[in-house]
Amino acid sequence: MRKIPLSFYRSDNVLEIAKTLLGKIIFTNWESKKTAARIVEVEAYNGITDKASHAWNGRRTDRTEIMYQNGGVAYVYLCYGIHHLFNVVTNGDGIPHAVLIRAGEPVEGVATMLKRTGKKKADYTLTRGPGNLTKALGIETGHSGFSLTSRQLWLADDGLGYKKGAIACSPRIGVDYAGEDALLPYRFYVRDSPYVSGKK
DNA sequence: GAGTAGATCCTCT
DNA sequence: GAGGATCTACTCA
């Protein structure tokens, strides 16, 4: 198991990074409670030419400023007033690429996840969907800007790789407002994981 | 089982 | 002041 190095995030091919992130593991470790989930679903947000991205057309605000940072930091923001969405910022300084982590499989600290989410038993709803995932991992907007190589939050590679046939792609979810860009096949997921969100 | 409303608050206009 | 990279529960059939 090795921590993913910063150089990985600095690639200019956000689609490649998104695909590669499938099977990797997100660790969080705050308040002495360690939790981890294996990523099974992601979406790529391709910078200023992508209407679905917050940074579309070079929009730059206090909130999106994080996306313009050098790759390897977390971008967390609140959606619908309830859900925290966790993104991995990629590419170099000044280029607002990001990968939204949409779903994972619990790996470690399931008891802690159950406590955080208020669920009684671990089933596939625990880390299915971006809102549930961040809740289970304890990620909140205050963690936006954290380095992904820090001691509290990091991504790791345990050597597991999915075969090409096990990975599928599709248009992104919940971005109908983005016009034709909503049709781009920028969502990648593990085909037979019950933790993948969206239609069954 | 399918469809829809409500929750709830930060961010940008 | 409106709306959103969502989820859940409830209605109706």
Side-chain angles (χ1 to χ4, degrees), chain A residues 167-199:
Chain A
I167 293 175
C169 67
S170 78
R172 291 170 295 188
I173 292 180
V175 293
D176 296 341
Y177 61 85
E180 68 247 28
D181 283 348
L183 303 174
L184 294 170
Y186 282 2
R187 170 172 174 255
F188 302 97
Y189 59 97
V190 178
R191 194 187 292 276
D192 47 5
S193 171
Y195 290 91
V196 172
S197 64
K199 57 188 179 292

mmCIF file of all heavy atoms in Angstrom, chain A residues 167-199:
data_model
loop_
_atom_site.group_PDB
_atom_site.id
_atom_site.type_symbol
_atom_site.label_atom_id
_atom_site.label_comp_id
_atom_site.label_asym_id
_atom_site.label_seq_id
_atom_site.Cartn_x
_atom_site.Cartn_y
_atom_site.Cartn_z
ATOM 1 N N ILE A 167 -14.495 -1.807 -16.362
ATOM 2 C CA ILE A 167 -14.762 -0.381 -16.232
ATOM 3 C C ILE A 167 -15.678 0.095 -17.354
ATOM 4 O O ILE A 167 -15.463 -0.233 -18.515
ATOM 5 C CB ILE A 167 -13.433 0.416 -16.275
ATOM 6 C CG1 ILE A 167 -12.614 0.084 -15.032
ATOM 7 C CG2 ILE A 167 -13.709 1.905 -16.367
ATOM 8 C CD1 ILE A 167 -11.252 0.719 -15.036
ATOM 9 N N ALA A 168 -16.696 0.840 -16.980
ATOM 10 C CA ALA A 168 -17.628 1.357 -17.981
ATOM 11 C C ALA A 168 -17.649 2.872 -17.893
ATOM 12 O O ALA A 168 -17.243 3.446 -16.880
ATOM 13 C CB ALA A 168 -19.015 0.795 -17.719
ATOM 14 N N CYS A 169 -18.098 3.530 -18.972
ATOM 15 C CA CYS A 169 -18.239 4.978 -18.900
ATOM 16 C C CYS A 169 -19.618 5.387 -19.381
ATOM 17 O O CYS A 169 -20.306 4.635 -20.068
ATOM 18 C CB CYS A 169 -17.139 5.682 -19.696
ATOM 19 S SG CYS A 169 -17.265 5.415 -21.464
ATOM 20 N N SER A 170 -20.037 6.572 -18.989
ATOM 21 C CA SER A 170 -21.373 7.048 -19.341
ATOM 22 C C SER A 170 -21.390 8.557 -19.183
ATOM 23 O O SER A 170 -20.433 9.131 -18.667
ATOM 24 C CB SER A 170 -22.408 6.413 -18.404
ATOM 25 O OG SER A 170 -22.383 7.075 -17.159
ATOM 26 N N PRO A 171 -22.470 9.216 -19.610
ATOM 27 C CA PRO A 171 -22.593 10.653 -19.330
ATOM 28 C C PRO A 171 -22.659 10.888 -17.827
ATOM 29 O O PRO A 171 -23.022 9.984 -17.074
ATOM 30 C CB PRO A 171 -23.922 11.031 -19.994
ATOM 31 C CG PRO A 171 -24.147 9.967 -21.016
ATOM 32 C CD PRO A 171 -23.537 8.721 -20.449
ATOM 33 N N ARG A 172 -22.351 12.094 -17.429
ATOM 34 C CA ARG A 172 -22.363 12.418 -16.009
ATOM 35 C C ARG A 172 -23.785 12.566 -15.485
ATOM 36 O O ARG A 172 -24.722 12.717 -16.245
ATOM 37 C CB ARG A 172 -21.542 13.682 -15.763
ATOM 38 C CG ARG A 172 -20.066 13.438 -15.983
ATOM 39 C CD ARG A 172 -19.279 14.711 -15.977
ATOM 40 N NE ARG A 172 -19.641 15.561 -17.106
ATOM 41 C CZ ARG A 172 -18.989 16.665 -17.421
ATOM 42 N NH1 ARG A 172 -17.957 17.045 -16.721
ATOM 43 N NH2 ARG A 172 -19.372 17.385 -18.439
ATOM 44 N N ILE A 173 -23.888 12.549 -14.173
ATOM 45 C CA ILE A 173 -25.209 12.548 -13.537
ATOM 46 C C ILE A 173 -25.528 13.918 -12.926
ATOM 47 O O ILE A 173 -24.660 14.569 -12.357
ATOM 48 C CB ILE A 173 -25.239 11.475 -12.438
ATOM 49 C CG1 ILE A 173 -25.157 10.106 -13.103
ATOM 50 C CG2 ILE A 173 -26.483 11.598 -11.580
ATOM 51 C CD1 ILE A 173 -25.182 8.952 -12.154
ATOM 52 N N GLY A 174 -26.768 14.345 -13.080
ATOM 53 C CA GLY A 174 -27.204 15.558 -12.402
ATOM 54 C C GLY A 174 -26.651 16.845 -12.967
ATOM 55 O O GLY A 174 -26.579 17.850 -12.278
ATOM 56 N N VAL A 175 -26.229 16.835 -14.240
ATOM 57 C CA VAL A 175 -25.665 18.051 -14.817
ATOM 58 C C VAL A 175 -26.424 18.460 -16.079
ATOM 59 O O VAL A 175 -25.859 18.993 -17.018
ATOM 60 C CB VAL A 175 -24.162 17.871 -15.143
ATOM 61 C CG1 VAL A 175 -23.358 17.713 -13.873
ATOM 62 C CG2 VAL A 175 -23.918 16.700 -16.071
ATOM 63 N N ASP A 176 -27.727 18.229 -16.084
ATOM 64 C CA ASP A 176 -28.547 18.550 -17.248
ATOM 65 C C ASP A 176 -28.446 20.017 -17.658
ATOM 66 O O ASP A 176 -28.619 20.368 -18.814
ATOM 67 C CB ASP A 176 -30.019 18.221 -16.958
ATOM 68 C CG ASP A 176 -30.217 16.730 -16.729
ATOM 69 O OD1 ASP A 176 -29.338 15.959 -17.143
ATOM 70 O OD2 ASP A 176 -31.239 16.358 -16.139
ATOM 71 N N TYR A 177 -28.153 20.851 -16.698
ATOM 72 C CA TYR A 177 -28.068 22.283 -16.979
ATOM 73 C C TYR A 177 -26.907 22.634 -17.902
ATOM 74 O O TYR A 177 -26.801 23.752 -18.385
ATOM 75 C CB TYR A 177 -27.901 23.061 -15.665
ATOM 76 C CG TYR A 177 -26.646 22.685 -14.903
ATOM 77 C CD1 TYR A 177 -25.428 23.290 -15.204
ATOM 78 C CD2 TYR A 177 -26.683 21.702 -13.919
ATOM 79 C CE1 TYR A 177 -24.278 22.924 -14.530
ATOM 80 C CE2 TYR A 177 -25.542 21.332 -13.247
ATOM 81 C CZ TYR A 177 -24.340 21.942 -13.558
ATOM 82 O OH TYR A 177 -23.198 21.580 -12.909
ATOM 83 N N ALA A 178 -26.005 21.674 -18.144
ATOM 84 C CA ALA A 178 -24.774 21.964 -18.886
ATOM 85 C C ALA A 178 -24.926 21.818 -20.394
ATOM 86 O O ALA A 178 -23.944 21.838 -21.122
ATOM 87 C CB ALA A 178 -23.653 21.070 -18.378
ATOM 88 N N GLY A 179 -26.161 21.677 -20.876
ATOM 89 C CA GLY A 179 -26.373 21.601 -22.311
ATOM 90 C C GLY A 179 -25.696 20.390 -22.929
ATOM 91 O O GLY A 179 -25.756 19.301 -22.371
ATOM 92 N N GLU A 180 -25.025 20.584 -24.077
ATOM 93 C CA GLU A 180 -24.419 19.443 -24.756
ATOM 94 C C GLU A 180 -23.278 18.824 -23.945
ATOM 95 O O GLU A 180 -22.971 17.656 -24.085
ATOM 96 C CB GLU A 180 -23.913 19.838 -26.146
ATOM 97 C CG GLU A 180 -22.742 20.784 -26.130
ATOM 98 C CD GLU A 180 -23.085 22.168 -26.691
ATOM 99 O OE1 GLU A 180 -24.264 22.564 -26.595
ATOM 100 O OE2 GLU A 180 -22.190 22.808 -27.227
ATOM 101 N N ASP A 181 -22.669 19.620 -23.067
ATOM 102 C CA ASP A 181 -21.586 19.071 -22.255
ATOM 103 C C ASP A 181 -22.098 18.032 -21.258
ATOM 104 O O ASP A 181 -21.322 17.237 -20.730
ATOM 105 C CB ASP A 181 -20.855 20.194 -21.502
ATOM 106 C CG ASP A 181 -19.919 20.946 -22.445
ATOM 107 O OD1 ASP A 181 -19.694 20.442 -23.559
ATOM 108 O OD2 ASP A 181 -19.422 22.014 -22.068
ATOM 109 N N ALA A 182 -23.401 18.044 -21.008
ATOM 110 C CA ALA A 182 -23.972 17.043 -20.100
ATOM 111 C C ALA A 182 -23.901 15.659 -20.723
ATOM 112 O O ALA A 182 -24.014 14.652 -20.036
ATOM 113 C CB ALA A 182 -25.419 17.397 -19.764
ATOM 114 N N LEU A 183 -23.695 15.606 -22.036
ATOM 115 C CA LEU A 183 -23.672 14.317 -22.732
ATOM 116 C C LEU A 183 -22.283 13.696 -22.805
ATOM 117 O O LEU A 183 -22.130 12.547 -23.202
ATOM 118 C CB LEU A 183 -24.208 14.489 -24.155
ATOM 119 C CG LEU A 183 -25.623 15.074 -24.248
ATOM 120 C CD1 LEU A 183 -25.998 15.342 -25.702
ATOM 121 C CD2 LEU A 183 -26.630 14.125 -23.612
ATOM 122 N N LEU A 184 -21.271 14.443 -22.445
ATOM 123 C CA LEU A 184 -19.909 13.931 -22.526
ATOM 124 C C LEU A 184 -19.741 12.686 -21.646
ATOM 125 O O LEU A 184 -20.206 12.669 -20.509
ATOM 126 C CB LEU A 184 -18.917 15.007 -22.068
ATOM 127 C CG LEU A 184 -18.835 16.248 -22.953
ATOM 128 C CD1 LEU A 184 -18.014 17.337 -22.265
ATOM 129 C CD2 LEU A 184 -18.227 15.896 -24.295
ATOM 130 N N PRO A 185 -19.070 11.658 -22.152
ATOM 131 C CA PRO A 185 -18.907 10.419 -21.373
ATOM 132 C C PRO A 185 -17.769 10.536 -20.366
ATOM 133 O O PRO A 185 -16.759 9.842 -20.457
ATOM 134 C CB PRO A 185 -18.597 9.380 -22.461
ATOM 135 C CG PRO A 185 -17.910 10.164 -23.524
ATOM 136 C CD PRO A 185 -18.498 11.550 -23.491
ATOM 137 N N TYR A 186 -17.937 11.397 -19.406
ATOM 138 C CA TYR A 186 -16.871 11.678 -18.445
ATOM 139 C C TYR A 186 -17.060 10.974 -17.106
ATOM 140 O O TYR A 186 -16.390 11.268 -16.151
ATOM 141 C CB TYR A 186 -16.770 13.190 -18.202
ATOM 142 C CG TYR A 186 -16.061 13.951 -19.296
ATOM 143 C CD1 TYR A 186 -15.580 13.314 -20.435
ATOM 144 C CD2 TYR A 186 -15.854 15.320 -19.185
ATOM 145 C CE1 TYR A 186 -14.941 14.012 -21.436
ATOM 146 C CE2 TYR A 186 -15.199 16.035 -20.176
ATOM 147 C CZ TYR A 186 -14.753 15.384 -21.307
ATOM 148 O OH TYR A 186 -14.105 16.092 -22.275
ATOM 149 N N ARG A 187 -18.015 10.078 -17.046
ATOM 150 C CA ARG A 187 -18.238 9.333 -15.813
ATOM 151 C C ARG A 187 -17.673 7.931 -15.987
ATOM 152 O O ARG A 187 -17.945 7.275 -16.996
ATOM 153 C CB ARG A 187 -19.735 9.268 -15.514
ATOM 154 C CG ARG A 187 -20.129 8.327 -14.387
ATOM 155 C CD ARG A 187 -21.611 8.498 -14.054
ATOM 156 N NE ARG A 187 -22.056 7.522 -13.081
ATOM 157 C CZ ARG A 187 -22.802 6.449 -13.387
ATOM 158 N NH1 ARG A 187 -23.198 6.251 -14.616
ATOM 159 N NH2 ARG A 187 -23.161 5.601 -12.442
ATOM 160 N N PHE A 188 -16.882 7.490 -15.031
ATOM 161 C CA PHE A 188 -16.294 6.158 -15.101
ATOM 162 C C PHE A 188 -16.672 5.388 -13.847
ATOM 163 O O PHE A 188 -16.648 5.929 -12.749
ATOM 164 C CB PHE A 188 -14.773 6.250 -15.206
ATOM 165 C CG PHE A 188 -14.321 7.043 -16.405
ATOM 166 C CD1 PHE A 188 -13.990 8.390 -16.281
ATOM 167 C CD2 PHE A 188 -14.257 6.448 -17.659
ATOM 168 C CE1 PHE A 188 -13.598 9.133 -17.389
ATOM 169 C CE2 PHE A 188 -13.864 7.187 -18.772
ATOM 170 C CZ PHE A 188 -13.531 8.533 -18.635
ATOM 171 N N TYR A 189 -16.999 4.108 -14.011
ATOM 172 C CA TYR A 189 -17.373 3.326 -12.832
ATOM 173 C C TYR A 189 -17.045 1.850 -13.026
ATOM 174 O O TYR A 189 -16.838 1.390 -14.148
ATOM 175 C CB TYR A 189 -18.851 3.511 -12.510
ATOM 176 C CG TYR A 189 -19.798 3.114 -13.629
ATOM 177 C CD1 TYR A 189 -20.411 1.859 -13.651
ATOM 178 C CD2 TYR A 189 -20.067 4.002 -14.669
ATOM 179 C CE1 TYR A 189 -21.278 1.501 -14.676
ATOM 180 C CE2 TYR A 189 -20.926 3.653 -15.700
ATOM 181 C CZ TYR A 189 -21.524 2.399 -15.698
ATOM 182 O OH TYR A 189 -22.371 2.039 -16.719
ATOM 183 N N VAL A 190 -16.996 1.163 -11.902
ATOM 184 C CA VAL A 190 -16.747 -0.268 -11.929
ATOM 185 C C VAL A 190 -18.070 -0.954 -12.223
ATOM 186 O O VAL A 190 -19.028 -0.825 -11.467
ATOM 187 C CB VAL A 190 -16.173 -0.746 -10.585
ATOM 188 C CG1 VAL A 190 -15.959 -2.259 -10.606
ATOM 189 C CG2 VAL A 190 -14.866 -0.029 -10.301
ATOM 190 N N ARG A 191 -18.117 -1.656 -13.325
ATOM 191 C CA ARG A 191 -19.374 -2.157 -13.873
ATOM 192 C C ARG A 191 -20.204 -2.981 -12.883
ATOM 193 O O ARG A 191 -21.402 -2.799 -12.773
ATOM 194 C CB ARG A 191 -19.065 -3.016 -15.101
ATOM 195 C CG ARG A 191 -20.260 -3.331 -15.955
ATOM 196 C CD ARG A 191 -19.876 -4.309 -17.044
ATOM 197 N NE ARG A 191 -18.982 -3.721 -18.025
ATOM 198 C CZ ARG A 191 -19.408 -2.993 -19.069
ATOM 199 N NH1 ARG A 191 -20.680 -2.775 -19.235
ATOM 200 N NH2 ARG A 191 -18.543 -2.487 -19.926
ATOM 201 N N ASP A 192 -19.590 -3.866 -12.165
ATOM 202 C CA ASP A 192 -20.409 -4.762 -11.345
ATOM 203 C C ASP A 192 -20.346 -4.481 -9.841
ATOM 204 O O ASP A 192 -20.596 -5.351 -9.035
ATOM 205 C CB ASP A 192 -20.058 -6.223 -11.624
ATOM 206 C CG ASP A 192 -18.560 -6.430 -11.628
ATOM 207 O OD1 ASP A 192 -17.856 -5.460 -11.315
ATOM 208 O OD2 ASP A 192 -18.096 -7.539 -11.930
ATOM 209 N N SER A 193 -20.023 -3.241 -9.478
ATOM 210 C CA SER A 193 -20.050 -2.922 -8.057
ATOM 211 C C SER A 193 -21.437 -2.454 -7.639
ATOM 212 O O SER A 193 -22.020 -1.584 -8.293
ATOM 213 C CB SER A 193 -19.036 -1.818 -7.742
ATOM 214 O OG SER A 193 -19.239 -1.397 -6.406
ATOM 215 N N PRO A 194 -21.984 -3.030 -6.570
ATOM 216 C CA PRO A 194 -23.313 -2.602 -6.100
ATOM 217 C C PRO A 194 -23.278 -1.202 -5.505
ATOM 218 O O PRO A 194 -24.312 -0.607 -5.236
ATOM 219 C CB PRO A 194 -23.658 -3.647 -5.038
ATOM 220 C CG PRO A 194 -22.335 -4.155 -4.577
ATOM 221 C CD PRO A 194 -21.422 -4.107 -5.771
ATOM 222 N N TYR A 195 -22.071 -0.656 -5.285
ATOM 223 C CA TYR A 195 -21.949 0.659 -4.671
ATOM 224 C C TYR A 195 -22.052 1.798 -5.675
ATOM 225 O O TYR A 195 -22.101 2.959 -5.304
ATOM 226 C CB TYR A 195 -20.623 0.770 -3.911
ATOM 227 C CG TYR A 195 -20.596 -0.092 -2.680
ATOM 228 C CD1 TYR A 195 -20.114 -1.392 -2.733
ATOM 229 C CD2 TYR A 195 -21.084 0.390 -1.473
ATOM 230 C CE1 TYR A 195 -20.101 -2.194 -1.610
ATOM 231 C CE2 TYR A 195 -21.082 -0.395 -0.342
ATOM 232 C CZ TYR A 195 -20.586 -1.689 -0.411
ATOM 233 O OH TYR A 195 -20.588 -2.475 0.702
ATOM 234 N N VAL A 196 -22.039 1.472 -6.954
ATOM 235 C CA VAL A 196 -22.142 2.511 -7.967
ATOM 236 C C VAL A 196 -23.534 3.121 -7.931
ATOM 237 O O VAL A 196 -24.526 2.404 -7.859
ATOM 238 C CB VAL A 196 -21.853 1.930 -9.368
ATOM 239 C CG1 VAL A 196 -22.153 2.946 -10.448
ATOM 240 C CG2 VAL A 196 -20.397 1.479 -9.441
ATOM 241 N N SER A 197 -23.593 4.460 -7.959
ATOM 242 C CA SER A 197 -24.883 5.134 -7.876
ATOM 243 C C SER A 197 -25.546 5.205 -9.242
ATOM 244 O O SER A 197 -25.009 4.729 -10.236
ATOM 245 C CB SER A 197 -24.684 6.537 -7.304
ATOM 246 O OG SER A 197 -23.900 7.301 -8.178
ATOM 247 N N GLY A 198 -26.698 5.839 -9.289
ATOM 248 C CA GLY A 198 -27.422 5.948 -10.537
ATOM 249 C C GLY A 198 -28.382 4.798 -10.710
ATOM 250 O O GLY A 198 -28.621 4.035 -9.775
ATOM 251 N N LYS A 199 -28.910 4.677 -11.899
ATOM 252 C CA LYS A 199 -29.945 3.653 -12.111
ATOM 253 C C LYS A 199 -29.378 2.242 -11.994
ATOM 254 O O LYS A 199 -28.225 1.995 -12.311
ATOM 255 C CB LYS A 199 -30.609 3.851 -13.466
ATOM 256 C CG LYS A 199 -29.641 3.816 -14.618
ATOM 257 C CD LYS A 199 -30.370 4.213 -15.898
ATOM 258 C CE LYS A 199 -29.412 4.208 -17.069
ATOM 259 N NZ LYS A 199 -28.407 5.263 -16.970
#
